[in-house]
Amino acid sequence: MSPSAPPPRRPGYDTRVLLGMLAAGLPGILASALLAWLVPLPSAARLVIVLLAVTGWISLALAVRSRTVGPIRTLANVLASLREGDFSIRLREEGVDGSLGLAYHEANRLEAVFRDQRIGAVEASALLRRVLAEIDVVLFAFDDAGRLRLLNRAAERLLGRSREDAVGRTAGELRLEAVLSGPAPRTLELSHPSGDGRWQVRRSIARQGGERLRLVVLSDLTRALREEEREAWKRLIRVLSHEINNSLAPIKSISASLIEILEDGAARDAADEDLPRGLEVIHGRAESLSRFMAAYATLARLPPPELAPVDVGEWVSRMAKLETRSDVQVIPGPRTTILADRAQLEQALINLVRNAVEAAEETGGAVSIGWSAGGDTLEVVVEDEGAGFHDAADLFVPFYTTKATGSGIGLALSRRIVEAHGGRLLLEKRDAAPGARARLILPARDPTAQPGP
Ligand code: ADP
């Protein structure tokens, strides 16, 4: 056989079933023809018998083929409609048993699974579309050629264009090149019809219909910052007016009485005592106001930390010894040195120790300081057995105080110092006993480590 000769064509499955049936009946037909030949019968009768046998044989073979192949065709049709996404056709299982019944049953179950999955997918994508439309973050999807393929409602607002107008345009045409290039996440200034602003850019890769899409998510930082700022101002103004009024009200009323006394000749002679006392109050309140302003200045003008190695054990022990009102127990931790601004850290810790001692004084409880170092963080914990507090949210608000002579600056200043060092300051209730626990968490950079390449 030449190598280029086409392979012999095999008869199809349906034909093979028919040929198989014919082959199975062939011996019987031959036997009946032989019998008809051997039995003494007229030729016409012999012919009729042979014809009847052959017709019956062929009809039977055709019937078997149709019974065998028919259900397979039906099954194929149902599978084809499943592939087309038509889940309305179900196979009738009644009266069908054996392996065909099993095949019908499995095909029907497959159809039910596909239908449920299709409903789930439709619902999920409807939900996703709704979420994308409602969320505030701006979302774009660009294809590999840099053309916009998808955008949500917030993105339409940012561009000042409708979806129909924007989809298909390049990032350049939409003045969005910056969001597709450069590192991400990062903060970016964008100016667009909806206004200029600062945005945080995040990028990721997604696939839709086998196509690679670059997803760009922009979160509006300007609005978040503005709201945060407004809240901070509100809190600050509340505390400032409280503090200023506390001083101004007595100054106003006492100075008014003193003026009255001085104007009234008769009263002036009797004012020998009232005058100095009134002036003393005015002086005291003015002093308190200037102390308050000095504290405010400290908070507002905190310089950036000047980093140098600080031995944690030494720092903690020195702060504990500074407190003379009661004994502060030091629970030694591992020997650790960190890079920090020594003066600022002392300021931060002394505020925490002072608060703990003042809280513990009221109950006669104890105060302790300990530290632990794990991974790349250092945690200094100041614990007291005072009465504790109700809600930690207000305590860090500048100038919030519950003490008669308090400034309300300690915790706010300590937190600013710790955050300027890249750390966190938390005030928590103690787990099992009354009292508070201040946790000062700092990055424990090894001062001897060489900077990386
Ligand atoms: P000040 O000590 O001048 O009041 P702070 O900012 O240091 O200012 O503290 C603010 C408030 O937080 C305190 O007035 C007090 O009510 C509360 N506070 C701080 N530390 C503790 C503590 N260890 N236990 C209970 N309350 C505390």
Side-chain angles (χ1 to χ4, degrees):
M1 195 169 56
S2 87
S4 60
R9 279 201 60 180
R10 210 173 157 224
Y13 175 76
D14 299 11
T15 316
R16 289 206 310 276
V17 170
L18 182 63
L19 292 177
M21 284 308 300
L22 290 174
L26 189 63
I29 292 298
L30 288 177
S32 63
L34 190 65
L35 211 63
W37 195 258
L38 293 176
V39 175
L41 281 173
S43 308
R46 275 190 190 138
L47 195 63
V48 169
I49 289 174
V50 170
L51 271 178
L52 279 176
V54 169
T55 321
W57 170 48
I58 292 176
S59 310
L60 194 69
L62 285 172
V64 170
R65 185 189 72 160
S66 137
R67 292 292 300 258
T68 315
V69 170
I72 298 179
R73 288 237 167 100
T74 312
L75 208 53
N77 288 340
V78 168
L79 292 178
S81 20
L82 288 188
R83 177 170 49 76
E84 298 287 326
D86 179 359
F87 305 117
S88 59
I89 303 171
R90 273 183 69 81
L91 290 161
R92 284 192 54 193
E93 291 180 45
E94 296 85 45
V96 187
D97 52 14
S99 48
L100 186 62
L102 190 63
Y104 275 23
H105 178 65
E106 287 304 326
N108 281 338
R109 284 185 58 187
L110 192 65
E111 183 264 345
V113 169
F114 278 5
R115 192 182 39 216
D116 288 352
Q117 284 183 352
R118 164 67 65 91
I119 292 172
V122 168
E123 283 175 355
S125 80
L127 178 69
L128 187 66
R129 267 203 305 277
R130 180 124 211 103
V131 170
L132 289 184
E134 297 301 329
I135 51 172
D136 263 351
V137 291
V138 170
L139 205 111
F140 295 109
F142 288 92
D143 61 17
D144 274 341
R147 288 194 179 276
L148 184 63
R149 300 294 302 273
L150 291 171
L151 75 168
N152 69 346
R153 217 179 280 163
E156 288 180 76
R157 278 198 298 273
L158 171 74
L159 296 179
R161 289 173 187 266
S162 68
R163 173 186 311 265
E164 294 73 30
D165 182 25
V167 167
R169 289 182 187 268
T170 62
E173 286 168 339
L174 298 168
R175 292 197 287 130
L176 287 173
E177 302 101 318
V179 303
L180 281 182
S181 54
R186 75 174 195 281
T187 307
L188 194 82
E189 303 278 342
L190 284 180
S191 88
H192 270 280
S194 65
D196 303 348
R198 289 178 73 197
W199 299 82
Q200 193 200 34
V201 186
R202 277 165 291 152
R203 278 198 304 266
S204 58
I205 299 290
R207 290 196 172 271
Q208 196 195 34
E211 190 186 8
R212 203 176 86 112
L213 293 177
R214 276 185 292 172
L215 270 189
V216 178
V217 179
L218 301 178
S219 342
D220 185 355
L221 294 180
T222 316
R223 186 150 27 118
L225 285 176
R226 241 184 265 133
E227 266 163 28
E228 186 64 24
E229 210 173 285
R230 201 176 309 134
E231 276 309 303
W233 271 111
K234 265 200 240 162
R235 286 199 299 258
L236 194 61
I237 287 172
R238 202 175 61 222
V239 189
L240 283 179
S241 18
H242 175 252
E243 191 66 24
I244 292 173
N245 278 337
N246 267 358
S247 294
L248 276 187
I251 289 178
K252 219 168 120 191
S253 83
I254 290 172
S255 55
S257 337
L258 292 183
I259 290 170
E260 251 175 50
I261 291 173
L262 290 176
E263 282 174 354
D264 182 344
R268 199 185 313 169
D269 302 334
D272 290 354
E273 274 178 31
D274 290 349
L275 208 58
R277 214 181 314 128
L279 285 173
E280 231 168 72
V281 174
I282 291 175
H283 179 74
R285 294 318 308 167
E287 280 268 283
S288 146
L289 207 52
S290 65
R291 265 202 314 276
F292 172 77
M293 291 319 290
Y296 176 73
T298 316
L299 190 64
R301 286 188 231 121
L302 186 72
E306 284 178 24
L307 303 184
V310 174
D311 183 301
V312 176
E314 236 178 64
W315 161 47
V316 168
S317 312
R318 209 173 35 250
M319 293 305 100
K321 278 194 206 111
L322 273 186
E323 191 46 70
T324 48
R325 285 172 291 181
S326 67
D327 243 3
V328 176
Q329 192 200 353
V330 175
I331 306 163
R335 214 190 142 80
T336 315
T337 307
I338 57 165
L339 267 186
D341 186 314
R342 177 184 297 269
Q344 287 190 3
L345 276 198
E346 288 186 355
Q347 178 72 57
L349 191 55
I350 198 79
N351 290 339
L352 303 181
V353 176
R354 193 188 299 141
N355 277 342
V357 167
E358 283 168 8
E361 258 184 344
E362 286 177 17
T363 58
V367 174
S368 67
I369 321 182
W371 72 93
S372 59
D376 47 9
T377 53
L378 164 80
E379 181 164 340
V380 179
V381 178
V382 182
E383 275 196 322
D384 66 68
E385 294 174 349
F389 53 86
H390 287 296
D391 185 2
D394 274 343
L395 308 186
F396 286 91
V397 174
F399 312 111
Y400 172 90
T401 181
T402 54
K403 300 169 193 167
T405 54
S407 69
I409 207 88
L411 285 179
L413 181 62
S414 297
R415 180 173 268 180
R416 279 212 49 198
I417 291 175
V418 174
E419 286 179 354
H421 281 76
R424 289 183 300 143
L425 175 61
L426 309 167
L427 193 66
E428 301 170 343
K429 294 175 183 178
R430 285 173 65 205
D431 303 324
R437 175 196 298 125
R439 294 172 61 202
L440 194 157
I441 303 163
L442 286 170
R445 282 171 290 224
D446 180 357
T448 57
Q450 294 299 310

Short mmCIF file of all heavy atoms in Angstrom, two decimals, residues 59 74 95 129 131-132 150 270 306 376 426 431 442 448:
data_model
loop_
_atom_site.label_atom_id
_atom_site.label_comp_id
_atom_site.label_asym_id
_atom_site.label_seq_id
_atom_site.Cartn_x
_atom_site.Cartn_y
_atom_site.Cartn_z
N SER A 59 -36.06 -6.86 8.05
CA SER A 59 -36.90 -5.95 8.86
C SER A 59 -36.45 -6.00 10.32
O SER A 59 -36.35 -4.96 11.00
CB SER A 59 -38.37 -6.36 8.79
OG SER A 59 -38.73 -6.54 7.47
N THR A 74 -31.25 10.57 20.54
CA THR A 74 -31.99 11.46 21.44
C THR A 74 -31.04 12.05 22.49
O THR A 74 -31.06 13.26 22.77
CB THR A 74 -33.10 10.65 22.16
OG1 THR A 74 -33.79 9.89 21.19
CG2 THR A 74 -34.04 11.53 22.92
N GLY A 95 -40.36 3.93 31.98
CA GLY A 95 -40.29 2.77 31.10
C GLY A 95 -38.92 2.54 30.51
O GLY A 95 -38.74 1.63 29.69
N ARG A 129 -22.76 43.36 39.08
CA ARG A 129 -23.01 44.59 38.30
C ARG A 129 -23.60 45.67 39.21
O ARG A 129 -23.25 46.83 39.14
CB ARG A 129 -23.96 44.27 37.15
CG ARG A 129 -23.24 43.94 35.87
CD ARG A 129 -24.11 44.19 34.65
NE ARG A 129 -25.37 43.48 34.75
CZ ARG A 129 -25.54 42.20 34.41
NH1 ARG A 129 -24.51 41.51 33.94
NH2 ARG A 129 -26.70 41.61 34.53
N VAL A 131 -23.31 45.93 42.52
CA VAL A 131 -22.28 46.41 43.45
C VAL A 131 -21.35 47.40 42.74
O VAL A 131 -21.06 48.48 43.24
CB VAL A 131 -21.47 45.24 44.03
CG1 VAL A 131 -20.27 45.73 44.81
CG2 VAL A 131 -22.35 44.38 44.93
N LEU A 132 -20.93 47.02 41.54
CA LEU A 132 -20.01 47.88 40.79
C LEU A 132 -20.65 49.23 40.49
O LEU A 132 -19.99 50.27 40.52
CB LEU A 132 -19.60 47.22 39.48
CG LEU A 132 -18.67 46.03 39.62
CD1 LEU A 132 -18.26 45.51 38.27
CD2 LEU A 132 -17.44 46.41 40.42
N LEU A 150 -14.37 48.17 30.14
CA LEU A 150 -15.44 48.23 31.14
C LEU A 150 -15.22 49.43 32.04
O LEU A 150 -14.08 49.81 32.29
CB LEU A 150 -15.40 46.99 32.04
CG LEU A 150 -15.77 45.65 31.47
CD1 LEU A 150 -15.43 44.56 32.47
CD2 LEU A 150 -17.25 45.61 31.14
N ALA A 270 -13.62 99.19 101.14
CA ALA A 270 -13.79 97.83 101.70
C ALA A 270 -13.21 96.75 100.81
O ALA A 270 -13.36 95.56 101.07
CB ALA A 270 -15.29 97.58 101.91
N GLU A 306 14.61 62.25 65.64
CA GLU A 306 16.03 62.08 65.25
C GLU A 306 16.47 60.74 65.77
O GLU A 306 16.60 60.54 66.98
CB GLU A 306 16.87 63.19 65.86
CG GLU A 306 16.70 64.49 65.13
CD GLU A 306 17.50 65.62 65.76
OE1 GLU A 306 18.49 65.35 66.45
OE2 GLU A 306 17.09 66.77 65.57
N ASP A 376 9.86 41.67 64.28
CA ASP A 376 10.49 42.98 64.11
C ASP A 376 9.72 44.06 64.85
O ASP A 376 9.70 45.20 64.44
CB ASP A 376 10.62 43.30 62.61
CG ASP A 376 9.33 43.02 61.89
OD1 ASP A 376 8.33 42.74 62.58
OD2 ASP A 376 9.30 43.09 60.65
N LEU A 426 -1.94 51.89 72.00
CA LEU A 426 -3.30 51.46 72.31
C LEU A 426 -3.51 51.55 73.80
O LEU A 426 -2.59 51.30 74.58
CB LEU A 426 -3.52 50.00 71.87
CG LEU A 426 -3.13 49.65 70.43
CD1 LEU A 426 -3.10 48.15 70.24
CD2 LEU A 426 -4.11 50.29 69.47
N ASP A 431 -7.59 42.39 81.05
CA ASP A 431 -8.49 41.26 80.77
C ASP A 431 -9.33 40.84 81.98
O ASP A 431 -10.54 40.92 81.96
CB ASP A 431 -7.69 40.06 80.26
CG ASP A 431 -6.89 40.44 79.03
OD1 ASP A 431 -7.42 41.25 78.25
OD2 ASP A 431 -5.76 39.96 78.89
N LEU A 442 6.38 49.40 68.75
CA LEU A 442 7.34 50.11 67.87
C LEU A 442 8.03 49.12 66.95
O LEU A 442 8.25 47.97 67.33
CB LEU A 442 8.42 50.77 68.73
CG LEU A 442 8.02 52.02 69.50
CD1 LEU A 442 9.13 52.40 70.47
CD2 LEU A 442 7.74 53.18 68.55
N THR A 448 22.31 47.94 64.25
CA THR A 448 23.61 47.53 63.70
C THR A 448 23.47 46.96 62.29
O THR A 448 24.45 46.76 61.61
CB THR A 448 24.25 46.45 64.58
OG1 THR A 448 23.32 45.38 64.66
CG2 THR A 448 24.58 46.97 65.96
#
